[in-house]
Amino acid sequence: DAPRLQREAHTCKGLLTTFSWASGGDLAREIEKRAAEGDVAGAAGRVPELVASMQALAALLAASGKAGG
């Protein structure tokens, strides 16, 4: 459903940009925009890429936490 996809993408965009993860933030912004325009299929098609971007950020943060601990 478009509103939920838009909301979730917005949340991801905020998280990713907080950590200056520009490529992920840009992707989340694109998904959010497509969902707002009603292009649910186009937005949903980019979700796996967004998930991978978030996983990459999580791995980087986990690794930096271990290195500093």
Side-chain angles (χ1 to χ4, degrees):
D1 103 88
R4 182 174 179 197
L5 186 55
Q6 182 182 1
R7 227 178 10 259
E8 296 296 336
H10 180 80
T11 299
C12 292
K13 179 181 70 178
L15 181 137
L16 292 163
T17 56
T18 295
F19 289 99
S20 299
W21 199 258
S23 61
D26 291 345
L27 179 58
R29 186 176 296 107
E30 178 190 338
I31 293 169
E32 181 183 16
K33 181 178 182 279
R34 285 183 181 208
E37 294 170 348
D39 181 11
V40 175
R46 303 298 306 269
V47 169
E49 190 178 344
L50 179 60
V51 170
S53 183
M54 294 185 70
Q55 289 172 333
L57 174 60
L60 181 67
L61 292 171
S64 73
K66 289 178 185 174

